[in-house]
Amino acid sequence: MAGEATREAVYAQPEWLRGVPTDRRLPDGARVVATGCGTSFHAAMTLGTAIQALEAVLRPPDADLLVLVSHEADTPLTLEAAQAFAGPKWLVTGNPNGPIAELCDEVIATTPEIEKSWCHTASYTSAVATLAALRGEDVGWLPDAVTEALADPWPASEHERWLVAGAGRDEPTALEAVLKLREGTFVAAEAHHTEQLLHGHLAAVDERVRCFVLEGEGRAAERAHDAVAALEVLRCDVTLLPTRHPVVDIVRFHLLVLDVAAVRGVDPDLIRRDDERWERARSVYP
């Protein structure tokens, strides 16, 4: 059945989150930088200071500790980033036996198994919760909050263009939401920092775009409300999403991917790995 593996992972999230490790902490006072690629980079961003793995290869960060995030511990550029960094390295992963693990001083396994769907959901939220625990954050409330989010989906639509905006702590969620929509439903989705959206990007937005704005707090929330008002003037279908935590806020986008994929008749599990054209495109790079 199309999407079965993705659906299984989405609804397994409360259980997986209850099992994330909470017994380790980052060293006090250490300058910590996180890195990764794709979904893992978005998870890395939630730690605080993050650099994309290719950038970490080009310019290894000036840090006391590098935290590498890789679902299967074998992402080629993340492996290169580990090799390029001379200092201590910790790995956050679903596979403690991958090649990146061999280069690391600490390996933190985040999930009970490797996620079967290529459209990673539970492995993302488990990594984000693990990173929060490494900072000393209480993550015990997250499974119940995710259970609540799973009971509150947005209606799917047939829009071909989608937009998600967020700032501060919510920017990684905006980026990850858009990646899930692109991977799992093949729509033209775009992520924007809330303030950047208001500085020129609106020119390419109109009523054909389905929009979500992550609210945030303080000044970020004020600008989120400004963005919503502007999108409403453009007659967009726009939703303002009050935000609680990156683990919780992404979950309704996971549900949206399942429902939009069903509307479009596509399989989110494979992210087009069953299509010869896209497989040929992937074959030209490691």
PDB file of all heavy atoms in Angstrom, residues 45-71:
ATOM      1  N   MET A  45      20.131  21.978  13.144  1.00  0.00           N
ATOM      2  CA  MET A  45      19.862  23.396  13.371  1.00  0.00           C
ATOM      3  C   MET A  45      19.169  23.641  14.706  1.00  0.00           C
ATOM      4  O   MET A  45      19.332  24.704  15.312  1.00  0.00           O
ATOM      5  CB  MET A  45      19.013  23.958  12.233  1.00  0.00           C
ATOM      6  CG  MET A  45      19.726  24.045  10.894  1.00  0.00           C
ATOM      7  SD  MET A  45      18.594  24.590   9.581  1.00  0.00           S
ATOM      8  CE  MET A  45      18.352  26.320  10.034  1.00  0.00           C
ATOM      9  N   THR A  46      18.391  22.676  15.171  1.00  0.00           N
ATOM     10  CA  THR A  46      17.653  22.873  16.423  1.00  0.00           C
ATOM     11  C   THR A  46      18.561  22.856  17.638  1.00  0.00           C
ATOM     12  O   THR A  46      18.136  23.263  18.727  1.00  0.00           O
ATOM     13  CB  THR A  46      16.546  21.805  16.600  1.00  0.00           C
ATOM     14  OG1 THR A  46      17.137  20.515  16.825  1.00  0.00           O
ATOM     15  CG2 THR A  46      15.641  21.746  15.374  1.00  0.00           C
ATOM     16  N   LEU A  47      19.800  22.411  17.480  1.00  0.00           N
ATOM     17  CA  LEU A  47      20.726  22.402  18.620  1.00  0.00           C
ATOM     18  C   LEU A  47      21.164  23.819  18.987  1.00  0.00           C
ATOM     19  O   LEU A  47      21.507  24.089  20.129  1.00  0.00           O
ATOM     20  CB  LEU A  47      21.942  21.537  18.307  1.00  0.00           C
ATOM     21  CG  LEU A  47      22.905  21.294  19.464  1.00  0.00           C
ATOM     22  CD1 LEU A  47      22.236  20.524  20.586  1.00  0.00           C
ATOM     23  CD2 LEU A  47      24.151  20.546  18.987  1.00  0.00           C
ATOM     24  N   GLY A  48      21.140  24.715  17.999  1.00  0.00           N
ATOM     25  CA  GLY A  48      21.552  26.099  18.262  1.00  0.00           C
ATOM     26  C   GLY A  48      22.438  26.619  17.159  1.00  0.00           C
ATOM     27  O   GLY A  48      21.982  27.291  16.238  1.00  0.00           O
ATOM     28  N   THR A  49      23.720  26.286  17.194  1.00  0.00           N
ATOM     29  CA  THR A  49      24.658  26.680  16.146  1.00  0.00           C
ATOM     30  C   THR A  49      24.900  25.484  15.239  1.00  0.00           C
ATOM     31  O   THR A  49      25.328  24.417  15.694  1.00  0.00           O
ATOM     32  CB  THR A  49      25.995  27.148  16.750  1.00  0.00           C
ATOM     33  OG1 THR A  49      25.752  28.242  17.635  1.00  0.00           O
ATOM     34  CG2 THR A  49      26.952  27.594  15.655  1.00  0.00           C
ATOM     35  N   ALA A  50      24.609  25.651  13.947  1.00  0.00           N
ATOM     36  CA  ALA A  50      24.730  24.537  13.013  1.00  0.00           C
ATOM     37  C   ALA A  50      25.333  25.026  11.705  1.00  0.00           C
ATOM     38  O   ALA A  50      25.192  26.196  11.329  1.00  0.00           O
ATOM     39  CB  ALA A  50      23.376  23.884  12.755  1.00  0.00           C
ATOM     40  N   ILE A  51      25.993  24.114  11.005  1.00  0.00           N
ATOM     41  CA  ILE A  51      26.595  24.396   9.716  1.00  0.00           C
ATOM     42  C   ILE A  51      26.339  23.194   8.818  1.00  0.00           C
ATOM     43  O   ILE A  51      26.483  22.044   9.253  1.00  0.00           O
ATOM     44  CB  ILE A  51      28.101  24.692   9.873  1.00  0.00           C
ATOM     45  CG1 ILE A  51      28.754  25.001   8.528  1.00  0.00           C
ATOM     46  CG2 ILE A  51      28.823  23.566  10.572  1.00  0.00           C
ATOM     47  CD1 ILE A  51      30.193  25.496   8.662  1.00  0.00           C
ATOM     48  N   GLN A  52      25.925  23.445   7.588  1.00  0.00           N
ATOM     49  CA  GLN A  52      25.654  22.347   6.665  1.00  0.00           C
ATOM     50  C   GLN A  52      26.938  21.559   6.424  1.00  0.00           C
ATOM     51  O   GLN A  52      28.042  22.099   6.465  1.00  0.00           O
ATOM     52  CB  GLN A  52      25.097  22.911   5.349  1.00  0.00           C
ATOM     53  CG  GLN A  52      24.142  21.984   4.619  1.00  0.00           C
ATOM     54  CD  GLN A  52      24.846  20.915   3.800  1.00  0.00           C
ATOM     55  OE1 GLN A  52      26.028  21.022   3.499  1.00  0.00           O
ATOM     56  NE2 GLN A  52      24.115  19.870   3.434  1.00  0.00           N
ATOM     57  N   ALA A  53      26.832  20.265   6.201  1.00  0.00           N
ATOM     58  CA  ALA A  53      28.009  19.399   6.160  1.00  0.00           C
ATOM     59  C   ALA A  53      29.013  19.817   5.093  1.00  0.00           C
ATOM     60  O   ALA A  53      30.228  19.784   5.335  1.00  0.00           O
ATOM     61  CB  ALA A  53      27.581  17.947   5.953  1.00  0.00           C
ATOM     62  N   LEU A  54      28.547  20.215   3.916  1.00  0.00           N
ATOM     63  CA  LEU A  54      29.497  20.653   2.885  1.00  0.00           C
ATOM     64  C   LEU A  54      30.255  21.885   3.354  1.00  0.00           C
ATOM     65  O   LEU A  54      31.474  22.003   3.139  1.00  0.00           O
ATOM     66  CB  LEU A  54      28.770  20.938   1.576  1.00  0.00           C
ATOM     67  CG  LEU A  54      29.641  21.464   0.435  1.00  0.00           C
ATOM     68  CD1 LEU A  54      30.800  20.532   0.126  1.00  0.00           C
ATOM     69  CD2 LEU A  54      28.795  21.717  -0.811  1.00  0.00           C
ATOM     70  N   GLU A  55      29.563  22.818   4.027  1.00  0.00           N
ATOM     71  CA  GLU A  55      30.242  23.996   4.558  1.00  0.00           C
ATOM     72  C   GLU A  55      31.242  23.611   5.637  1.00  0.00           C
ATOM     73  O   GLU A  55      32.302  24.230   5.768  1.00  0.00           O
ATOM     74  CB  GLU A  55      29.216  24.988   5.110  1.00  0.00           C
ATOM     75  CG  GLU A  55      28.228  25.512   4.081  1.00  0.00           C
ATOM     76  CD  GLU A  55      28.920  26.282   2.962  1.00  0.00           C
ATOM     77  OE1 GLU A  55      29.921  26.973   3.235  1.00  0.00           O
ATOM     78  OE2 GLU A  55      28.456  26.179   1.811  1.00  0.00           O
ATOM     79  N   ALA A  56      30.929  22.580   6.405  1.00  0.00           N
ATOM     80  CA  ALA A  56      31.851  22.118   7.437  1.00  0.00           C
ATOM     81  C   ALA A  56      33.083  21.465   6.839  1.00  0.00           C
ATOM     82  O   ALA A  56      34.148  21.428   7.471  1.00  0.00           O
ATOM     83  CB  ALA A  56      31.140  21.146   8.379  1.00  0.00           C
ATOM     84  N   VAL A  57      32.957  20.932   5.614  1.00  0.00           N
ATOM     85  CA  VAL A  57      34.116  20.404   4.896  1.00  0.00           C
ATOM     86  C   VAL A  57      34.958  21.556   4.354  1.00  0.00           C
ATOM     87  O   VAL A  57      36.193  21.566   4.464  1.00  0.00           O
ATOM     88  CB  VAL A  57      33.672  19.474   3.754  1.00  0.00           C
ATOM     89  CG1 VAL A  57      34.861  19.079   2.874  1.00  0.00           C
ATOM     90  CG2 VAL A  57      32.989  18.233   4.308  1.00  0.00           C
ATOM     91  N   LEU A  58      34.270  22.549   3.773  1.00  0.00           N
ATOM     92  CA  LEU A  58      34.981  23.680   3.189  1.00  0.00           C
ATOM     93  C   LEU A  58      35.679  24.526   4.241  1.00  0.00           C
ATOM     94  O   LEU A  58      36.809  24.992   4.035  1.00  0.00           O
ATOM     95  CB  LEU A  58      34.000  24.548   2.396  1.00  0.00           C
ATOM     96  CG  LEU A  58      33.310  23.877   1.207  1.00  0.00           C
ATOM     97  CD1 LEU A  58      32.256  24.810   0.626  1.00  0.00           C
ATOM     98  CD2 LEU A  58      34.321  23.483   0.140  1.00  0.00           C
ATOM     99  N   ARG A  59      34.991  24.723   5.373  1.00  0.00           N
ATOM    100  CA  ARG A  59      35.533  25.545   6.457  1.00  0.00           C
ATOM    101  C   ARG A  59      35.193  24.874   7.783  1.00  0.00           C
ATOM    102  O   ARG A  59      34.159  25.184   8.393  1.00  0.00           O
ATOM    103  CB  ARG A  59      34.933  26.960   6.417  1.00  0.00           C
ATOM    104  CG  ARG A  59      35.347  27.774   5.206  1.00  0.00           C
ATOM    105  CD  ARG A  59      34.716  29.163   5.253  1.00  0.00           C
ATOM    106  NE  ARG A  59      33.257  29.087   5.221  1.00  0.00           N
ATOM    107  CZ  ARG A  59      32.546  28.946   4.100  1.00  0.00           C
ATOM    108  NH1 ARG A  59      33.153  28.872   2.934  1.00  0.00           N
ATOM    109  NH2 ARG A  59      31.225  28.878   4.158  1.00  0.00           N
ATOM    110  N   PRO A  60      36.009  23.938   8.236  1.00  0.00           N
ATOM    111  CA  PRO A  60      35.716  23.278   9.520  1.00  0.00           C
ATOM    112  C   PRO A  60      35.479  24.312  10.610  1.00  0.00           C
ATOM    113  O   PRO A  60      36.229  25.284  10.725  1.00  0.00           O
ATOM    114  CB  PRO A  60      36.987  22.463   9.783  1.00  0.00           C
ATOM    115  CG  PRO A  60      37.529  22.164   8.421  1.00  0.00           C
ATOM    116  CD  PRO A  60      37.238  23.406   7.614  1.00  0.00           C
ATOM    117  N   PRO A  61      34.410  24.154  11.377  1.00  0.00           N
ATOM    118  CA  PRO A  61      34.046  25.193  12.354  1.00  0.00           C
ATOM    119  C   PRO A  61      35.055  25.311  13.489  1.00  0.00           C
ATOM    120  O   PRO A  61      35.707  24.334  13.871  1.00  0.00           O
ATOM    121  CB  PRO A  61      32.685  24.709  12.874  1.00  0.00           C
ATOM    122  CG  PRO A  61      32.689  23.239  12.636  1.00  0.00           C
ATOM    123  CD  PRO A  61      33.463  23.028  11.383  1.00  0.00           C
ATOM    124  N   ASP A  62      35.180  26.537  14.009  1.00  0.00           N
ATOM    125  CA  ASP A  62      36.011  26.792  15.184  1.00  0.00           C
ATOM    126  C   ASP A  62      35.171  26.459  16.404  1.00  0.00           C
ATOM    127  O   ASP A  62      34.387  27.270  16.886  1.00  0.00           O
ATOM    128  CB  ASP A  62      36.441  28.264  15.196  1.00  0.00           C
ATOM    129  CG  ASP A  62      37.335  28.600  16.384  1.00  0.00           C
ATOM    130  OD1 ASP A  62      37.827  27.661  17.025  1.00  0.00           O
ATOM    131  OD2 ASP A  62      37.504  29.798  16.669  1.00  0.00           O
ATOM    132  N   ALA A  63      35.285  25.240  16.877  1.00  0.00           N
ATOM    133  CA  ALA A  63      34.422  24.750  17.954  1.00  0.00           C
ATOM    134  C   ALA A  63      35.193  23.766  18.821  1.00  0.00           C
ATOM    135  O   ALA A  63      36.214  23.202  18.405  1.00  0.00           O
ATOM    136  CB  ALA A  63      33.178  24.088  17.371  1.00  0.00           C
ATOM    137  N   ASP A  64      34.693  23.557  20.028  1.00  0.00           N
ATOM    138  CA  ASP A  64      35.281  22.566  20.930  1.00  0.00           C
ATOM    139  C   ASP A  64      34.752  21.163  20.661  1.00  0.00           C
ATOM    140  O   ASP A  64      35.409  20.170  21.010  1.00  0.00           O
ATOM    141  CB  ASP A  64      34.971  22.935  22.386  1.00  0.00           C
ATOM    142  CG  ASP A  64      35.535  24.288  22.774  1.00  0.00           C
ATOM    143  OD1 ASP A  64      36.669  24.594  22.372  1.00  0.00           O
ATOM    144  OD2 ASP A  64      34.826  25.034  23.467  1.00  0.00           O
ATOM    145  N   LEU A  65      33.553  21.103  20.058  1.00  0.00           N
ATOM    146  CA  LEU A  65      32.898  19.814  19.835  1.00  0.00           C
ATOM    147  C   LEU A  65      32.010  19.911  18.602  1.00  0.00           C
ATOM    148  O   LEU A  65      31.267  20.881  18.442  1.00  0.00           O
ATOM    149  CB  LEU A  65      32.042  19.434  21.051  1.00  0.00           C
ATOM    150  CG  LEU A  65      31.148  18.201  20.936  1.00  0.00           C
ATOM    151  CD1 LEU A  65      31.987  16.934  20.798  1.00  0.00           C
ATOM    152  CD2 LEU A  65      30.222  18.089  22.153  1.00  0.00           C
ATOM    153  N   LEU A  66      32.096  18.909  17.734  1.00  0.00           N
ATOM    154  CA  LEU A  66      31.233  18.822  16.560  1.00  0.00           C
ATOM    155  C   LEU A  66      30.233  17.697  16.774  1.00  0.00           C
ATOM    156  O   LEU A  66      30.624  16.549  17.018  1.00  0.00           O
ATOM    157  CB  LEU A  66      32.049  18.559  15.298  1.00  0.00           C
ATOM    158  CG  LEU A  66      31.261  18.520  13.980  1.00  0.00           C
ATOM    159  CD1 LEU A  66      30.673  19.896  13.664  1.00  0.00           C
ATOM    160  CD2 LEU A  66      32.142  18.029  12.830  1.00  0.00           C
ATOM    161  N   VAL A  67      28.940  18.022  16.693  1.00  0.00           N
ATOM    162  CA  VAL A  67      27.882  17.023  16.788  1.00  0.00           C
ATOM    163  C   VAL A  67      27.395  16.729  15.387  1.00  0.00           C
ATOM    164  O   VAL A  67      26.898  17.621  14.684  1.00  0.00           O
ATOM    165  CB  VAL A  67      26.724  17.516  17.670  1.00  0.00           C
ATOM    166  CG1 VAL A  67      25.583  16.493  17.662  1.00  0.00           C
ATOM    167  CG2 VAL A  67      27.201  17.762  19.095  1.00  0.00           C
ATOM    168  N   LEU A  68      27.549  15.487  14.964  1.00  0.00           N
ATOM    169  CA  LEU A  68      27.137  15.064  13.627  1.00  0.00           C
ATOM    170  C   LEU A  68      25.801  14.342  13.724  1.00  0.00           C
ATOM    171  O   LEU A  68      25.623  13.483  14.585  1.00  0.00           O
ATOM    172  CB  LEU A  68      28.187  14.151  13.012  1.00  0.00           C
ATOM    173  CG  LEU A  68      29.579  14.777  12.923  1.00  0.00           C
ATOM    174  CD1 LEU A  68      30.575  13.960  13.717  1.00  0.00           C
ATOM    175  CD2 LEU A  68      30.029  14.936  11.495  1.00  0.00           C
ATOM    176  N   VAL A  69      24.864  14.708  12.854  1.00  0.00           N
ATOM    177  CA  VAL A  69      23.561  14.066  12.816  1.00  0.00           C
ATOM    178  C   VAL A  69      23.439  13.340  11.483  1.00  0.00           C
ATOM    179  O   VAL A  69      23.584  13.950  10.419  1.00  0.00           O
ATOM    180  CB  VAL A  69      22.418  15.086  12.973  1.00  0.00           C
ATOM    181  CG1 VAL A  69      21.066  14.361  13.052  1.00  0.00           C
ATOM    182  CG2 VAL A  69      22.634  15.951  14.211  1.00  0.00           C
ATOM    183  N   SER A  70      23.208  12.029  11.534  1.00  0.00           N
ATOM    184  CA  SER A  70      23.083  11.232  10.316  1.00  0.00           C
ATOM    185  C   SER A  70      22.227  10.017  10.624  1.00  0.00           C
ATOM    186  O   SER A  70      22.574   9.218  11.503  1.00  0.00           O
ATOM    187  CB  SER A  70      24.455  10.789   9.811  1.00  0.00           C
ATOM    188  OG  SER A  70      24.335   9.962   8.666  1.00  0.00           O
ATOM    189  N   HIS A  71      21.130   9.881   9.899  1.00  0.00           N
ATOM    190  CA  HIS A  71      20.165   8.819  10.202  1.00  0.00           C
ATOM    191  C   HIS A  71      20.813   7.441  10.178  1.00  0.00           C
ATOM    192  O   HIS A  71      20.630   6.637  11.096  1.00  0.00           O
ATOM    193  CB  HIS A  71      19.019   8.889   9.206  1.00  0.00           C
ATOM    194  CG  HIS A  71      17.976   7.833   9.391  1.00  0.00           C
ATOM    195  ND1 HIS A  71      17.420   7.568  10.624  1.00  0.00           N
ATOM    196  CD2 HIS A  71      17.387   6.980   8.519  1.00  0.00           C
ATOM    197  CE1 HIS A  71      16.533   6.591  10.495  1.00  0.00           C
ATOM    198  NE2 HIS A  71      16.510   6.213   9.230  1.00  0.00           N
TER     199      HIS A  71
END
